[in-house]
Amino acid sequence: MQKSKHFTSQQQAQTTKDFKYFSTKIEPLLRKVYEDRQTVERLVEQIFSLLQEHFSDSVTENLEKWSQNEVVMITYGDSVCASDEKPLVTLDRFLENLQGTITGVHILPFCPYSSDDGFAVIDYLQVNPELGSWQDVETIAQKFDLMADLVLNHVSSQSTWFEQFKQGIKPGCDYFIEADPLADLSTVVRPRSSELLVKVDTAQGQKYVWATFSADQVDLNFSNPDVLIEVIKVILFYVQKGAKYIRLDAVGYLWKCIGTYCIHLPQTHALIKLFREITQMLNPDVAIITETNVPNRENLSYFGNRDEAHMIYNFSLPPLILNALLQGKSEHLKTWMMSMPPAPMGCAYFNFTASHDGIGLRPTEGLLTENEYKTMLEMMRQFGGKISMRRKPDGTESPYEINISLFDAMKGTAKGEDEWQIERFLCSQTIMMALEGVPAFYIHSFLATPNHHAGVAETGHNRSINRYKWNYEELEAKLKDPKSPQAIVMKEMSQRIQIRRRQPAFHPNATQYTLHPMNPSLFAFWRQSIYRDQSIFCINNLSDRTQELQLTDINLICIDPWHDLLSGRIIEDINDRFVLQPYQSAWITNLEF
């Protein structure tokens, strides 16, 4: 008994020590969110009690979460389907094609939902039975690093919480934001053109609730600390299910305060920092990634002081690469690259050119000329795309995103369609995979999927144009046909990715410098490995014509042997000219791994 008492005493001492450490990390952040001291003290105790049994043995930050080896694929759970099995099982089978190519899989919202293809969540803790089960998700998580969506700004109007709100039943009756329809909300930044306030019939009469994105996606009230506790429970659950990345969807809109823009508020930043601290304590290998489709300077703020998001989406990249390939010149890509600070230690950019959403236009603000902007919109319409609008604070509408398959966005240039679609598309992907950061590829980029106009007609939503569901047998037949765009693109992208994964100079935090060759049709930058032993000069022909690079423009060192990783070409004389065919990319290196 004495031994038992002694052991219990040790446990109590350790618990006291753990709580003290926990409090020093968590309490200051909670104080930035909630003014009431007693509320903060209660929250600290509640969160500690919730997480205590699940703390990692180590509290040391893992600064090696990623390397050049990391490559992520973005997909819906049912992007590939077969008639005789659940879609998540089919997805697992399809992913066998990408073993050795990708290391991570972002399965877009896989919970039961009521609209927006998963982003109106009914139950955070369940897998949509039409997709499969938690066992199916965990099977994929055992083979690939899993990214799970935490759609935390809003829930479905069909969720239990919102049903409780309408009935006046706790806890849901206090989980949503009520507002006066006569209140001045003109300063609120809107990502959509729908009404901000939605009229709801409740047991207490008509009420108006805040709905940033749609009437079916009702915003949660984080000023109620109980909502924060619910979200932390979900984070804990996802980590236990094997998630290595937690994606915070639309997180910029989290905190509301009438009279402000209701985006990027200090409380929102404090909550993200809180989530980072919590995941660090649960599993130092887990990364928080923020999804904030806004102008670049605003987006960069989510790194905080290397104490907020581990990763941020590089939202400027898709429209800038698209514009560069339409115009055949590198001007704006270079301006953007020179303005991009290196990601802080322990942080990284999440690079992508296409996703389940459209190509966001807000990140182009201040970068493209008015004429280029209009040309891009017009050419995307000609190539079969749609333009979605948002409502501005003054009540007017402006383009918010281009909805189009990226493969079809590459049908031509500002001059019209041409024969270079596949080459132009591969150039766009090669640029992205060489940049500082972790590359992520939408499944429909791997599969060269064209515009899905039937999906738009069926759903009435522009985003359906890029959310086609492949039949597994049909897809397999395409991939076995060496002349199909699907087979050509999949093979070439896989080869380039596999080369990339071996090169230390492509580490997400390796040095990156913008180069300035005299030829404006060339986009060039230099990557150097963290240990300074490998250099890669990334040269990309953005045009539909053969271009030449004077190698002296990029300062190759004569004592090193140089060759192109992609073509295998050996450079005999560093004073030569390097010829690039239309849309050809070259990775000129002194050392191959």
Side-chain angles (χ1 to χ4, degrees), residues 532-572:
R532 305 291 185 256
D533 54 344
Q534 185 189 39
S535 288
I536 300 179
F537 292 88
C538 306
I539 318 296
N540 305 277
N541 182 358
L542 303 176
S543 76
D544 56 3
R545 297 185 179 185
T546 299
Q547 303 290 343
E548 290 187 348
L549 169 71
Q550 183 65 50
L551 290 173
T552 53
D553 287 351
I554 59 174
N555 298 321
L556 300 184
I557 301 172
C558 63
I559 59 174
D560 285 334
W562 296 92
H563 72 284
D564 176 19
L565 289 168
L566 296 178
S567 69
R569 174 182 168 183
I570 297 173
I571 295 174
E572 304 286 355

Side-chain angles (χ1 to χ4, degrees), residues 309-370:
H310 294 97
M311 305 172 78
I312 63 172
Y313 276 78
N314 221 334
F315 275 108
S316 298
L317 199 53
L320 289 179
I321 286 183
L322 175 59
N323 178 74
L325 290 165
L326 282 171
Q327 300 289 340
K329 59 183 183 180
S330 61
E331 175 188 0
H332 299 307
L333 272 176
K334 289 198 298 184
T335 300
W336 163 78
M337 179 176 276
M338 288 188 292
S339 73
M340 290 292 284
M345 183 185 302
C347 301
Y349 293 110
F350 192 70
N351 295 327
F352 73 109
T353 53
S355 73
H356 61 291
D357 290 339
I359 298 171
L361 293 169
R362 287 206 66 203
T364 67
E365 293 174 10
L367 292 172
L368 302 185
T369 67
E370 184 67 22

Side-chain angles (χ1 to χ4, degrees), residues 252-466:
Y253 300 96
L254 211 59
W255 195 269
K256 284 78 175 176
C257 181
I258 293 177
T260 71
Y261 293 130
C262 295
I263 187 172
H264 313 321
L265 296 185
Q267 294 90 338
T268 294
H269 286 286
L271 287 170
I272 298 170
K273 292 176 182 180
L274 176 74
F275 299 146
R276 174 172 173 143
E277 289 291 350
I278 286 171
T279 55
Q280 162 70 25
M281 294 177 192
L282 294 173
N283 183 346
D285 294 337
V286 173
I288 293 290
I289 176 168
T290 51
E291 188 259 346
T292 48
N293 192 352
V294 293
N296 195 43
R297 184 171 59 179
E298 298 171 34
N299 193 34
L300 288 169
S301 70
Y302 285 86
F303 277 142
N305 186 20
R306 66 169 300 270
D307 59 352
E308 202 164 333
H310 294 97
M311 305 172 78
I312 63 172
Y313 276 78
N314 221 334
F315 275 108
S316 298
L317 199 53
L320 289 179
I321 286 183
L322 175 59
N323 178 74
L325 290 165
L326 282 171
Q327 300 289 340
K329 59 183 183 180
S330 61
E331 175 188 0
H332 299 307
L333 272 176
K334 289 198 298 184
T335 300
W336 163 78
M337 179 176 276
M338 288 188 292
S339 73
M340 290 292 284
M345 183 185 302
C347 301
Y349 293 110
F350 192 70
N351 295 327
F352 73 109
T353 53
S355 73
H356 61 291
D357 290 339
I359 298 171
L361 293 169
R362 287 206 66 203
T364 67
E365 293 174 10
L367 292 172
L368 302 185
T369 67
E370 184 67 22
N371 185 57
E372 288 170 330
Y373 184 80
K374 290 180 179 178
T375 298
M376 182 165 64
L377 297 184
E378 177 57 30
M379 298 317 299
M380 292 304 99
R381 289 190 183 99
Q382 288 189 29
F383 298 162
K386 307 286 185 180
I387 309 298
S388 293
M389 311 296 284
R390 73 180 181 98
R391 184 171 297 167
K392 297 165 70 174
D394 62 4
T396 62
E397 292 191 344
S398 65
Y400 174 70
E401 67 179 17
I402 300 167
N403 301 110
I404 193 169
S405 150
L406 186 66
F407 185 65
D408 275 359
M410 298 294 163
K411 279 184 175 180
T413 67
K415 297 177 289 186
E417 293 188 29
D418 58 27
E419 72 272 27
W420 298 105
Q421 181 177 12
I422 290 178
E423 292 82 359
R424 188 180 294 112
F425 177 78
L426 288 171
C427 181
S428 74
Q429 302 307 288
T430 307
I431 291 171
M432 186 268 282
M433 71 176 75
L435 292 169
E436 175 194 348
V438 173
F441 301 88
Y442 189 33
I443 188 172
H444 294 301
S445 295
F446 270 113
L447 300 177
T449 308
N451 290 327
H452 182 35
H453 294 294
V456 178
E458 180 182 342
T459 66
H461 298 299
N462 288 348
R463 285 180 168 179
S464 297
I465 201 169
N466 197 27

